[in-house]
Amino acid sequence: MQSFRTEIENPLVQKDIIELANKIELFNNGKIDEEKFRSLRLARGVYGQRQEGVQMIRIKLPYGKVLSNQLRRIAEVSDEYSRSRLHITTRQDIQIHYVDLKRTPELWAELERDNVTLREACGNAVRNVTASETAGIDIKEPFDVSPYADAVFKFFLRNPICQEMGRKFKVSFSGTDEDTGLSYMHDLGFIAKIENGVKGFKVMLGGGLGSQPRHADEFYSFLASDKIIPLMEGVLRVFDRYGERKSRAKARLKFLIKDIGLEAFKGLVEEEQNAIEFKSVAINEATYQTSTPVSVEAPTVDIKDTEAFNLWKATNIIPQKQDGYFAIGIKVLLGDFYTDKARLLADLVEKYAAGEIRLSLRQNILIPFVKADLIPFFYQELKKLGFAEAGYNKAVDITACPGTDTCNLGIASSTGIAEELERVIKAEYPQYLSNNDLVIKISGCMNACGQHNMANIGFQGMSIRTKDKLVAPALQVLLGGGNLGNGNAYFADKVVKIPSRRGPEALRRILNDFEANANGKLFVDYYKEKGEKYFYQLLTDLSDVENLTQEDFIDWGTEEAYVKAIGVGECAGVVIDLIATLFLECDEKIEEAEEALNNKVYSGAIYETYRSMVNAAKAILLSENVKTNTQAGIISQFDELFVSTNKVELGNTFSDLIYQIKVFPPTKEFAINYLQSAKTFLQVVKQYRESQLVAKN
């Protein structure tokens, strides 16, 4: 552990890594519960993999910005601790697979040497803050959203209010009304606006994908930029307190809003404002660290295949708002590339651009700040790396999650079918190399990590059963999704389920019909015109399972017979219900509250105190076999079953005690008094628990 202490300057990071190392040791020695340990490691970016004995590491890269030195560091880590492969996700992260759990603390320590974190990349926390990959360079943007995404990332990282929520929480920023940050499918989505000279955002709330996609509501048509962090804090506090915790499937913010309604939710957020320390958080764009493009003479280049070069320029080059500069899009097949290419790319952009890349929501790479006269040189160098394929963000550029390659939840292959569909398009529909309209996405299961249910054409991994009870890999075909801009969108309809091997034929039929009959319409408009039944009739014969061949029982990308194997999902962690563990957590929260108080972080001390009391009340409820759900429910149940019946004497209601957190501003005096009240409460309930155990014995 000593090496972590000496090499990491940030004491918070040092504490995180040492804690992870200590908990791994306790877990391996059988001294910590598996579910409790899972919750902790997920919050540190360590995710269980489909293959036994290894972990997936998710690296949190806010709004997809990666500096050259950071990319080299990530490559070194992948070489040392994994298999030299990097995977770009649909949330602008990088994942490294096949990592030994015992080595994750040192891996994290290595990344932090270049300010790269794993913290809260997984688990029940605020996940990576995503944004338009063209933020700061987009010709249409009213202003650069990067400083705002960066400020939100930093403010809520390690923030006590969002460490142990019922589920994950996702935030996005869109630089223009084209809504390339996909605000409508996020818990909170911000779209840049300027009103009366004031910078701000249209705010979308409560969106999500998964098995039950929900279009976000418009929360504010305009909110000044200095109010977005206080608003988000209020939303998180309400979600933490009232959000579902028992049923993982219903624990996202979208279900809470659906249950209580938008206006009621807004009212709860407004009630929290008095307890929020910062009523206004001004975000100073001038202090945001931007990359500076280099000034270098363009090397002489001889382009031999001018036709291929011109096609690449037509599909992969994006003009910037900065005069004379362009961004270059790199199409990364399935988001996978290797460390040797990563290093060369890092060197290239450092020497000839601005020393940074952006990871996109479509699992690609964007190089900003390339001078016009350097474009031929970049083409030549990228071609050497295999990074000069035409079709960046075009129809041929299919998005897919890892699926059954590595994910516990994968039902059918997403990467294998994605490669085959790309091959079909390139070979049979070359006109789609430059088609911006058609968006194709694939997920290996209903959880929609590949965002299949917001695509024009989507495929979801499933299984299908014959009358003889044989099981084959299958695909749910979804059609008609689309981003309409400014927070508006359609989610795709589930049209038909077919054996996976018939996926290419389904795509051919859809494209052939579109080519023959759309008459220039966008796909999303053509689908709305024709309707679900039309496409069902077009594809329904492909769903027949009475004529399956031997090949239909072998999934794409494999040579073995298909076996449906679904593990335990970890996308949101697991709720811990063990009484002893809860009391242990209570003590830990009290210690963390005291530490925050000593550091004069009064809001943090108050929230850790609150969490200690909630956990203590939950422990007592569980001790008498009372099922718990939301934090608000725990508080009311404790009053009803223990305080009003005089089983526990508090001198007041538990609600009055704990809900002071909503009433008083986060001052030093309140933090001290609240913490003392929590200590007294914890002592009372522990005594009650001891009396229970004595009575049982």
Side-chain angles (χ1 to χ4, degrees):
M1 310 300 174
Q2 187 64 33
S3 61
F4 303 147
R5 295 178 188 275
T6 55
E7 292 183 15
I8 299 172
E9 296 181 2
N10 188 326
L12 292 176
V13 175
Q14 182 187 108
K15 179 182 175 183
D16 263 351
I17 296 174
I18 292 172
E19 180 184 17
L20 177 60
N22 288 338
K23 291 296 172 65
I24 289 172
E25 185 175 354
L26 289 171
F27 173 69
N28 287 334
N29 292 333
K31 295 180 179 180
I32 185 172
D33 178 78
E34 182 177 358
E35 300 303 332
K36 167 63 179 172
F37 176 66
R38 178 183 296 169
S39 179
L40 180 135
R41 66 171 166 77
L42 282 169
R44 274 80 181 163
V46 183
Y47 191 103
Q49 201 171 297
R50 192 179 188 92
Q51 292 76 14
E52 191 173 345
V54 291
Q55 311 292 316
M56 177 270 283
I57 302 301
R58 183 176 293 148
I59 300 170
K60 196 172 186 178
L61 300 165
Y63 48 100
K65 180 178 178 179
V66 187
L67 302 178
S68 287
N69 62 301
Q70 293 175 324
L71 185 57
R72 281 191 286 264
R73 177 67 63 189
I74 292 169
E76 287 178 13
V77 161
S78 182
D79 285 345
E80 173 65 25
Y81 299 93
S82 181
R83 300 182 176 183
S84 302
R85 192 186 79 167
L86 308 176
H87 175 72
I88 304 170
T89 76
T90 55
R91 294 201 59 76
Q92 299 175 300
D93 297 308
I94 284 179
Q95 292 177 174
I96 299 173
H97 295 85
Y98 299 97
V99 176
D100 185 338
L101 176 63
K102 294 178 183 178
R103 303 191 72 192
T104 54
E106 58 187 275
L107 178 154
W108 188 359
E110 285 297 309
L111 288 172
E112 289 284 357
R113 291 170 63 181
D114 282 287
N115 295 315
V116 177
T117 191
L118 307 183
R119 180 71 196 229
E120 295 151 52
C122 307
N124 299 335
V126 175
R127 296 291 185 86
N128 196 28
V129 177
T130 62
S132 306
E133 67 262 29
T134 54
I137 63 173
D138 198 312
I139 291 172
K140 299 178 182 178
E141 68 182 16
F143 58 90
D144 183 5
V145 300
S146 302
Y148 301 89
D150 187 64
V152 166
F153 156 69
K154 289 175 178 175
F155 190 90
F156 292 102
L157 187 70
R158 297 185 178 85
N159 194 312
I161 69 168
C162 51
Q163 294 306 299
E164 297 176 11
M165 298 182 293
R167 281 293 303 265
K168 56 194 172 184
F169 192 95
K170 297 181 177 180
V171 185
S172 77
F173 284 81
S174 290
T176 71
D177 283 358
E178 291 179 350
D179 197 13
T180 51
L182 309 176
S183 68
Y184 61 90
M185 50 165 271
H186 282 78
D187 295 292
L188 267 178
F190 298 97
I191 305 173
K193 304 281 184 181
I194 293 180
E195 285 193 5
N196 301 319
V198 176
K199 292 179 180 178
F201 298 88
K202 180 177 182 177
V203 183
M204 305 296 292
L205 177 80
L209 294 180
S211 60
Q212 299 181 54
R214 182 182 190 273
H215 194 294
D217 296 308
E218 181 181 304
F219 204 33
Y220 290 92
S221 61
F222 180 82
L223 186 71
S225 62
D226 65 320
K227 299 297 183 184
I228 62 172
I229 286 179
L231 172 75
M232 183 166 161
E233 179 169 350
V235 169
L236 287 169
R237 289 167 73 104
V238 170
F239 177 48
D240 190 37
R241 188 169 303 135
Y242 297 96
E244 171 80 29
R245 288 174 182 268
K246 180 182 175 184
S247 172
R248 178 177 172 273
K250 296 181 179 179
R252 291 295 299 274
L253 178 65
K254 61 184 179 181
F255 293 107
L256 175 58
I257 295 173
K258 181 180 178 181
D259 288 345
I260 69 173
L262 183 63
E263 291 306 312
F265 185 87
K266 183 178 285 191
L268 290 172
V269 172
E270 290 171 354
E271 286 179 13
E272 294 292 327
Q273 294 306 305
N274 192 51
I276 291 175
E277 183 175 5
F278 302 104
K279 314 300 182 190
S280 171
V281 180
I283 298 167
N284 187 352
E285 292 183 23
T287 62
Y288 173 72
Q289 188 173 2
T290 57
S291 301
T292 304
V294 299
S295 179
V296 61
E297 185 175 340
T300 303
V301 174
D302 180 22
I303 303 293
K304 293 178 179 165
D305 190 343
T306 56
E307 184 178 348
F309 174 61
N310 289 332
L311 175 62
W312 175 80
K313 280 203 303 181
T315 63
N316 294 50
I317 301 298
I318 302 171
Q320 293 188 190
K321 67 181 183 181
Q322 293 83 4
D323 190 38
Y325 288 98
F326 295 81
I328 296 177
I330 298 175
K331 181 180 175 297
V332 183
L333 179 63
L334 305 176
D336 293 328
F337 67 114
Y338 286 86
T339 55
D340 56 346
K341 293 184 179 181
R343 287 190 181 85
L344 293 170
L345 182 63
D347 294 343
L348 182 65
V349 299
E350 187 172 66
K351 188 173 181 180
Y352 294 100
E356 72 168 87
I357 63 170
R358 308 277 183 87
L359 308 179
S360 83
L361 296 172
R362 291 182 68 168
Q363 303 174 289
N364 290 320
I365 294 172
L366 190 71
I367 304 173
F369 292 104
V370 176
K371 285 189 173 181
D373 60 354
L374 281 168
I375 289 176
F377 171 73
F378 264 87
Y379 175 74
Q380 173 186 272
E381 296 305 303
L382 292 174
K383 193 172 179 61
K384 293 176 185 176
L385 300 179
F387 277 164
E389 186 175 340
Y392 175 79
N393 282 357
K394 304 301 187 288
V396 72
D397 192 356
I398 296 176
T399 301
C401 69
T404 50
D405 289 359
T406 54
C407 180
N408 273 328
L409 294 176
I411 298 175
S413 171
S414 44
T415 58
I417 183 63
E419 289 190 67
E420 179 62 18
L421 296 185
E422 284 206 6
R423 187 197 65 77
V424 167
I425 293 175
K426 290 175 191 173
E428 302 175 29
Y429 304 89
Q431 66 271 33
Y432 285 96
L433 277 170
S434 57
N435 182 291
N436 278 319
D437 168 35
L438 213 60
V439 176
I440 303 172
K441 293 177 180 282
I442 305 171
S443 297
C445 75
M446 65 182 180
N447 286 287
C449 293
Q451 302 174 343
H452 64 278
N453 42 18
M454 51 79 65
N456 301 146
I457 301 173
F459 296 92
Q460 175 192 324
M462 305 187 81
S463 63
I464 202 164
R465 188 182 295 270
T466 70
K467 288 182 179 179
D468 299 327
K469 297 184 179 180
L470 299 175
V471 180
L475 295 169
Q476 178 82 59
V477 181
L478 299 92
L479 298 173
N483 180 5
L484 306 179
N486 200 28
N488 301 305
Y490 294 127
F491 288 120
D493 293 327
K494 296 177 181 177
V495 176
V496 68
K497 183 165 74 170
I498 62 175
S500 290
R501 286 285 172 176
R502 297 174 187 173
E505 176 58 24
L507 180 64
R508 289 186 183 97
R509 292 190 189 185
I510 294 165
L511 294 182
N512 289 343
D513 178 82
F514 181 54
E515 290 277 301
N517 303 314
N519 297 319
K521 296 183 180 72
L522 296 176
F523 185 88
V524 67
D525 295 328
Y526 177 65
Y527 176 80
K528 293 301 174 187
E529 175 189 296
K530 290 293 188 180
E532 180 183 342
K533 289 183 179 180
Y534 174 84
F535 285 93
Y536 173 79
Q537 292 297 327
L538 181 69
L539 302 172
T540 186
D541 63 296
L542 296 178
S543 66
D544 184 4
V545 297
E546 297 307 308
N547 57 353
L548 296 184
T549 66
Q550 188 174 353
E551 186 181 43
D552 287 315
F553 292 94
I554 299 174
D555 207 353
W556 292 102
T558 70
E559 297 178 356
E560 299 175 357
Y562 173 75
V563 176
K564 182 179 178 181
I566 307 172
V568 177
E570 298 189 336
C571 294
V574 177
V575 178
I576 312 302
D577 284 346
L578 299 176
I579 297 165
T581 304
L582 281 168
F583 276 124
L584 177 63
E585 288 184 350
C586 292
D587 293 332
E588 290 179 348
K589 303 307 176 198
I590 292 294
E591 291 176 6
E592 290 168 2
E594 288 175 332
E595 183 179 351
L597 190 60
N598 291 334
N599 292 330
K600 300 181 180 181
V601 184
Y602 303 127
S603 59
I606 291 164
Y607 213 84
E608 296 290 10
T609 300
Y610 163 81
R611 284 163 60 188
S612 174
M613 288 192 280
V614 169
N615 280 350
K618 180 178 181 180
I620 296 300
L621 286 165
L622 292 175
S623 73
E624 298 204 358
N625 297 316
V626 178
K627 294 181 179 180
T628 65
N629 192 349
T630 66
Q631 289 182 347
I634 290 169
I635 294 165
S636 62
Q637 284 176 296
F638 190 86
D639 268 335
E640 179 185 349
L641 299 175
F642 295 97
V643 179
S644 64
T645 59
N646 296 319
K647 287 183 177 180
V648 174
E649 296 284 350
L650 296 181
N652 208 332
T653 68
F654 183 46
S655 296
D656 287 341
L657 168 63
I658 197 168
Y659 279 146
Q660 292 179 81
I661 192 174
K662 296 196 298 182
V663 177
F664 296 101
T667 62
K668 177 181 179 180
E669 181 182 8
F670 173 57
I672 292 172
N673 293 335
Y674 197 52
L675 178 56
Q676 186 55 52
S677 298
K679 289 179 179 179
T680 303
F681 175 73
L682 188 55
Q683 184 178 2
V684 169
V685 294
K686 281 184 175 180
Q687 288 173 351
Y688 181 83
R689 177 59 178 162
E690 288 175 9
S691 67
Q692 282 182 318
L693 295 174
V694 169
K696 287 181 179 180
N697 295 330

